[in-house]
Every structure is written in structure tokens, then in C-alpha cells.
Amino acid sequence: MTTELESTRRALRDAVAQAERAAELARLLDAAEAKLAAAEQSAAEARSLAERLSEVEDRLEVEQAAADKLRRELAEQRFQAEVANWKLSSIKVARWNRLGDAIKSGKSNPVRLAKGLRGAAKPVKRPIAPKRKPPTAAKAKDERPGAAFQATTTTRTLGGASFKLKPFRVPTGPNTRPHLTAAVIADPHAEALLRYEWRQTTGFTPRDFARVLPLEVPHLLVVESVEHGPWAEEITGEPGEGLKALLAWCAERGIRTVFWHTRGDVAAYAAAAELFEHRFTTDLTVAWPRLQFGVQPRVHNPLPLSGGRIDRLLTLDQLLPGHLTYPDVLTSYRWPAAVDCPPGTPQWRLAELAACGTPIGTEADTRRAHVALRRAYQMGTMTERVDELLDAIGLPSARATLNTSVLLPIMDPYLMEHALAQVAKQSGVDQLIVIGPPESELRARDVLPDVEVVYRRPHPAMTEGAMLDAGIDLCEADLVAVMDPRDVYGPHYLSDLRRAFLFSTADIVGKAAFYAHLRKPQATLLKQPEAEYAHLPEIAGATLLARRNTLREIGFADLTDGWDEVLMRQCRTDGIKVFSADRFGYVRVRDEDRWLLGAAHLVEYGSAEPHALI
């Protein structure tokens, strides 16, 4: 009985164990079936994705083929245009054409006729026929501002003569506000004004903006009143569906939208403009907030062409024929000795010409050109215009400043009044570091009541270089200027010099070209007039304006005479960029200086200030 009971219990335990194994197998089977179902679903999704990928690849191949076709057609059109220009140039320089022009222009003046016929009889080299070039493959897009915005036309034609130019190289940076991204719909002119003010996305269309813009979601959208391109129909008259979709996309993401009316009848854009959060205009007759064009320092600046200027006065039509792209316009701005602009020339065009250092009028007057350049910048740069725009729409306009601290070492107490008077003339001085006799502190506070004055009394044996080195740690502004108590500085000296930081990438700016006055012979000299607007190995220490961090890194040598030479030598060793600005606004004053007499041009015997201080 006991044996049978034990057998029954064993049988029950085996049955329970088998049931548990069966349950585990059932669970595993269910899990396997679930995984199999998931795998089948994944396989189906993979097949679907593969099919979509294949479709996309097919479309991409079609698009690439279409792009290649368009590239070939564009290359052919360019070639035909070059051929047409060549034929036109050939006709212009043909002898029979020049004879006809001479007869026509001299029919009422025998002297002019004879002179014209003699000129027409001279052989003129005919232009070289263009050659057909194979279309180039598309290159990877360079996202830096200005990278794809370069001059393409290197020749200009005047009176049948052809001139070869080395184009102005449009800079590829830096950005003024790298933290800010803007999507911009504008023509090349407005793009050139805006591209350095923020990270800029352009080139998107009503068809692809939803694919392009998410790659770097912008903080704002700026749409100019363009008259050509894929967006022109969208913003003219009744707003297009593409524009509505773009604005809806921006609204969903909290992106501010701005319409900028710069040309055309505002009524044509009124309906579209109403869809934007903010509207601005350049037209004084339109009751919208003003946003005028300003010069863009990165491209509107006095940096010269490598070949210099031609010795000719040009009319505006001669300077800017209609076929030029805007990068080519930037080259032309720097080409002539002067430009005669007719009445009615747009103010922004005059400002851009003046900002490039080109004399406007019938004379190549460099002094008037410098004053006009200064006024063009005083009218407002595009950086200042964008500040106004961002403030109006509620976005931060933070950017680097040109705040200036002045280092003034006064070693001779008799020069104190003169030295402080030179600083008091300047605008934009935030801080003055005075190192000199005790009375200079109170006097500085009297002369410069709105400037922070920091005073330090030097040790008796301290050199000028040691004074400057001690003062650099007291400077708080972004830029630091060194001024010499012996010299004369005009009221625009610092503001002119600071401007160079807007268009150059130099860490140190000063003057290698400058006027000097020697008291004993009463001679006014001009040193290195060819050294304006160029990166050079050295500048005069008394004209030094540098980024504070750069000066802190290299320091000043413990010398009174020659500390600037040691500083410039250190800059060359460390690869620090040094830029020489214009010749105006400063006069070096000494009793006598044999080195200057041998290295500078004699201007006249008399005061230097009428020449330098304009």
C-alpha cells in the first residue's frame, strides 16, 4: 500500500513537472511567434523603406541628370554671351567703326576730327575670341558668407580699349552675430548687405523650404520686395500658396517674420506684407517703420584692388554697365580715379562708392574722398541697421563692440595739458589710463568728465614701455589705444582708426603712412604714402590701436625708445596681423629727426595740421 502511494506521488510530481515544462514551452512558443510577427513587420517596413529609397534614388538621378543638362545649357548660354560680347568688342575696335565715330564726333570741329582720324588710324589689338569650355561639375557648397559670391567679370572696356582687372575678393567672414540664424529672400545686393550680420540661409524655394530650413532652423525670416526669382510671384498681388505655407511653417515654430519693402510700388506687395508680423520700408512716403540701406563694411571699404586705380575719370554708366553682377560691381567701385555721378543717383549708391574710397566728382581728390568715406559710415552701417531691426522685432542684438580704453603715459609734466587735450577731442573713449605726475589725475577728471579715469603714479626710473605694460592690465574696453603726449591727434583720429576693425581681420591697427612736423626746420613731411590700407610688418607705436587680449598676451618691452619696434617684431614672430589705415588725423611732432628726413617726402615748410587734420 505504501509502495503504491509513493508511486502515485512520484507520478503526480512527474506530471506536474511535465505540465510546467509544457507551459514554459507554450510561453516560449508564444514569444517566438511574437518575435516572428515583429520580424515580419520589420521586414515589411524594410521592404517599404527600400522601395521608397529606390524611388528617391531614381528621383535624385533624374534631378542630377536635369541639373547636368541645365549646367550644360548654362555653359552654352555663357559661351554664346561671351561670343556676342566678343563680336561687339571686335566691332567697336574695328578701324571702320572708329573712323565713323571720329567723323561723327568731329564733324563740327576740324581739330577734333583730325585728332580723331589720327587715333582711328592707329592699329588696335583685337580682343581674343572666347573658347568653349566644358561645364564644370557642381562643387560642395561652402557655407561661409561670401564663399559663393565672387566676381566673375575680370575685364572692362572703355572707348574700345580693354582693361584686365584682378577682382576684389569678397571676404568669407566673419559673422557679426554668429549666434543668430536668418532665412533671407532677397536679391544679390541686399544679400551682400545682410550676409555678414548673422548666419544666413538663402536659395530655398516655395517647393523645398520645408526640407531646407529644418537643417538649421532660423530665428527670423526676412523677405525683401524682390521682383525676380521663384518668390516674386508669391509676394506680388494676391499672396501665393507657397508664401502662406512658409509663413505658417514659421508661425508653428515661433520664428519672427519680416517684410522689407525696398523697391517697386508698395501697393503691389501690400496684401503679402499684411501676412508678416513686422513690415519695414526704405520709402519715405510709406507709413511703415524705416529700415534704410547702410554700407556693409565687409565689402564697402577702402581696401584697394591689387592693380590699383586707373588714372581716369568715369561716368557712372561707364563704371557700372548693366551686365555686371553685384560682386563685379564691388570690383568696379575700386577701379577709377574718380566717378562723375549724375543728379538723382540713389543715396545708397553714392554711400557705397564713397565707402570704397572712390572720389565722387570731377577730380581725384583724396582728402575729399576720405571725408566722404567718413560721412558714408556716419550715415549708418548695415550692422547698425540690423541692430534697429532686431530691437524692433524683439530679438537680442548682442555683438562685439569697439569700446576703447586709452593708455596715456606722461613722462614730461610740461606735456600734460597738451596730451589731455588730444584725448578730449576724441569720441568713443570709455576709459583713460593716465600714468604720470600726481596733478594729471585731477586735471584728467576735469577735462574728461564723462570718461572713467584711472590714475597710476609711475616709479621714478620707469620706462615708457614699463608704464604701458603696467597700464594694460587696468584696461577694460575691447580695444586699447596708445597715444603719445608729444604728438597731435585730430578729432576724428580714433573713430577713423576704429573703422578698420569693421573690415579687416587684424588684431592691431595703426598708421604706417602719416604726416610729421619737425620744429627746428619747420618742415612738414609725409611718410610712406603708399602704405595706406594694407597689412604691413609694422606701424607707428604712437598710433597703436589693438585688441586688449592681444596686447595682454604679447606685452610691452621695458624700453622708452623702441618699445614699438620690439612689439612689431613680436607680432611678426607670433603671426599677429597688423593693418595700416589712412594717413590722416595724426601728426608726429619732433624738434628734429634725421631718420624721418631721410625716409619721408617733404610736403612743405610750414604747419602739418592743414594737411593731416581733416
Side-chain angles (χ1 to χ4, degrees):
M1 184 68 179
T2 303
T3 303
E4 292 178 358
L5 182 60
E6 186 64 30
S7 298
T8 301
R9 288 175 178 171
R10 191 180 300 116
L12 286 172
R13 284 196 298 268
D14 292 342
V16 170
Q18 289 178 0
E20 289 177 351
R21 285 196 297 271
E24 179 65 17
L25 288 172
R27 187 182 65 79
L28 293 173
L29 180 60
D30 290 341
E33 288 177 347
K35 290 181 179 178
L36 180 61
E40 289 178 350
Q41 183 178 356
S42 297
E45 291 176 354
R47 286 194 297 271
S48 176
L49 289 173
E51 291 174 358
R52 290 169 58 189
L53 178 61
S54 178
E55 292 175 0
V56 170
E57 289 176 344
D58 291 341
R59 288 201 300 270
L60 179 60
E61 187 175 342
V62 171
E63 293 289 343
Q64 288 177 340
D68 291 340
K69 181 180 178 183
L70 288 173
R71 200 174 291 115
R72 290 192 297 270
E73 291 176 352
L74 179 61
E76 180 62 24
Q77 290 175 3
R78 285 176 175 168
F79 172 71
Q80 296 299 336
E82 290 176 358
V83 170
N85 286 332
W86 169 70
K87 290 180 178 178
L88 179 61
S89 300
S90 299
I91 291 173
K92 287 182 177 179
V93 300
R95 182 172 296 178
W96 59 268
N97 188 64
R98 290 184 288 120
L99 284 171
D101 289 344
I103 293 172
K104 182 179 179 181
S105 62
K107 60 183 180 180
S108 60
N109 189 325
V111 175
R112 183 183 298 172
L113 176 62
K115 185 176 180 181
L117 291 174
R118 283 198 301 272
K122 295 179 181 178
V124 176
K125 184 178 180 181
R126 290 178 175 262
I128 300 174
K131 296 181 180 179
R132 182 178 273 105
K133 299 177 183 178
T136 56
K139 297 181 180 179
K141 186 179 179 181
D142 190 337
E143 297 296 339
R144 294 175 300 168
F149 190 77
Q150 300 297 337
T152 57
T153 303
T154 58
T155 58
R156 302 290 188 275
T157 303
L158 290 176
S162 182
F163 296 85
K164 186 79 171 179
L165 302 182
K166 188 169 183 180
F168 169 71
R169 181 71 181 172
V170 178
T172 55
N175 280 329
T176 302
R177 304 171 188 83
H179 63 281
L180 197 64
T181 300
V184 175
I185 298 170
D187 68 10
H189 176 220
E191 275 193 35
L193 300 182
L194 294 171
R195 67 176 66 243
Y196 302 97
E197 299 303 325
W198 42 41
R199 294 176 58 83
Q200 185 157 292
T201 301
T202 59
F204 53 92
T205 68
R207 295 176 56 190
D208 65 8
F209 74 85
R211 176 179 59 82
V212 174
L213 296 185
L215 299 177
E216 186 176 3
V217 178
H219 298 89
L220 74 158
L221 168 73
V222 179
V223 178
E224 187 195 11
S225 54
V226 293
E227 296 177 340
H228 305 284
W231 290 98
E233 294 183 1
E234 296 284 332
I235 65 175
T236 307
E238 187 65 25
E241 294 302 319
L243 177 65
K244 293 178 181 178
L246 172 62
L247 294 176
W249 186 90
C250 291
E252 290 173 1
R253 291 157 179 81
I255 299 169
R256 290 168 172 79
T257 57
V258 174
F259 184 81
W260 188 19
H261 171 245
T262 60
R263 63 171 63 77
D265 184 0
V266 71
Y269 304 101
E274 286 297 322
L275 302 179
F276 288 76
E277 294 177 285
H278 304 276
R279 289 162 293 279
F280 297 89
T281 182
T282 60
D283 191 339
L284 299 177
T285 65
V286 178
W288 291 350
R290 300 283 177 269
L291 181 62
Q292 302 291 350
F293 287 130
V295 296
Q296 173 51 260
R298 298 284 193 274
V299 295
H300 304 138
N301 55 60
L303 293 176
L305 298 180
S306 60
R309 297 181 182 272
I310 60 168
D311 188 20
R312 290 199 186 188
L313 166 68
L314 302 182
T315 65
L316 194 60
D317 290 339
Q318 291 173 319
L319 180 71
L320 302 175
H323 66 275
L324 294 182
T325 64
Y326 195 69
D328 294 314
V329 168
L330 297 175
T331 298
S332 291
Y333 279 165
R334 295 164 165 79
W335 183 42
V339 178
D340 187 11
C341 297
T345 302
Q347 188 63 45
W348 62 264
R349 178 76 77 187
L350 296 174
E352 290 182 2
L353 271 168
C356 291
T358 300
I360 298 174
T362 56
E363 296 181 5
D365 189 330
T366 56
R367 291 166 56 83
R368 289 181 59 190
H370 181 75
V371 173
L373 183 153
R374 182 188 295 151
R375 288 174 180 167
Y377 273 81
Q378 288 173 345
M379 288 170 61
T381 65
M382 209 59 211
T383 299
E384 294 165 333
R385 298 286 188 257
V386 170
D387 281 343
E388 298 170 6
L389 168 67
L390 296 176
D391 289 341
I393 69 176
L395 283 178
S397 57
R399 57 182 174 87
T401 70
L402 297 179
N403 296 338
T404 306
S405 295
V406 173
L407 280 175
L408 188 65
I410 303 176
M411 303 189 72
D412 184 348
Y414 293 102
L415 294 173
M416 180 186 68
E417 290 292 341
H418 173 78
L420 293 175
Q422 304 309 303
V423 180
K425 296 178 185 178
Q426 309 305 316
S427 61
V429 176
D430 297 274
Q431 184 187 39
L432 173 64
I433 313 297
V434 181
I435 305 175
E439 60 270 22
S440 59
E441 178 181 10
L442 291 177
R443 187 59 184 145
R445 297 185 191 280
D446 289 339
V447 175
L448 296 120
D450 299 324
V451 175
E452 178 190 355
V453 175
V454 178
Y455 170 76
R456 290 295 183 272
R457 185 171 184 175
H459 301 300
M462 226 175 177
T463 65
E464 184 175 353
M467 289 181 176
L468 295 172
D469 205 50
I472 188 64
D473 289 330
L474 302 172
C475 295
E476 297 178 353
D478 294 334
L479 301 180
V480 175
V482 175
M483 296 178 67
D484 192 315
R486 298 171 291 180
D487 298 336
V488 175
Y489 298 84
H492 301 286
Y493 164 75
L494 270 182
S495 58
D496 282 352
L497 210 54
R498 276 194 298 264
R499 190 182 307 123
F501 284 102
L502 299 177
F503 57 79
S504 77
T505 55
D507 292 306
I508 294 179
V509 171
K511 296 179 185 290
F514 58 84
Y515 287 91
H517 182 71
L518 304 181
R519 290 195 185 96
K520 285 190 176 180
Q522 283 295 302
T524 289
L525 310 172
L526 175 59
K527 184 176 183 292
Q528 298 188 116
E530 71 284 354
E532 292 182 294
Y533 301 118
H535 288 89
L536 295 175
E538 60 184 42
I539 48 90
T543 67
L544 182 76
L545 180 64
R547 301 191 188 278
R548 180 189 58 190
N549 292 338
T550 299
L551 285 185
R552 281 183 172 173
E553 289 175 4
I554 58 181
F556 293 90
D558 190 5
L559 298 168
T560 293
D561 295 324
W563 63 263
D564 52 343
E565 296 177 9
V566 175
L567 182 71
M568 292 296 104
R569 191 158 55 243
Q570 188 63 47
C571 289
R572 293 193 291 273
T573 300
D574 295 348
I576 296 172
K577 292 183 178 179
V578 178
F579 184 80
S580 172
D582 59 87
R583 72 182 72 175
F584 301 107
Y586 165 74
V587 179
R588 180 172 183 170
V589 180
R590 300 292 183 271
D591 288 334
E592 56 184 355
D593 191 322
R594 293 183 179 179
W595 177 78
L596 263 180
L597 280 172
H601 303 279
L602 177 65
V603 176
E604 69 170 2
Y605 288 98
S607 175
E609 295 186 15
H611 299 278
L613 308 187
I614 59 174

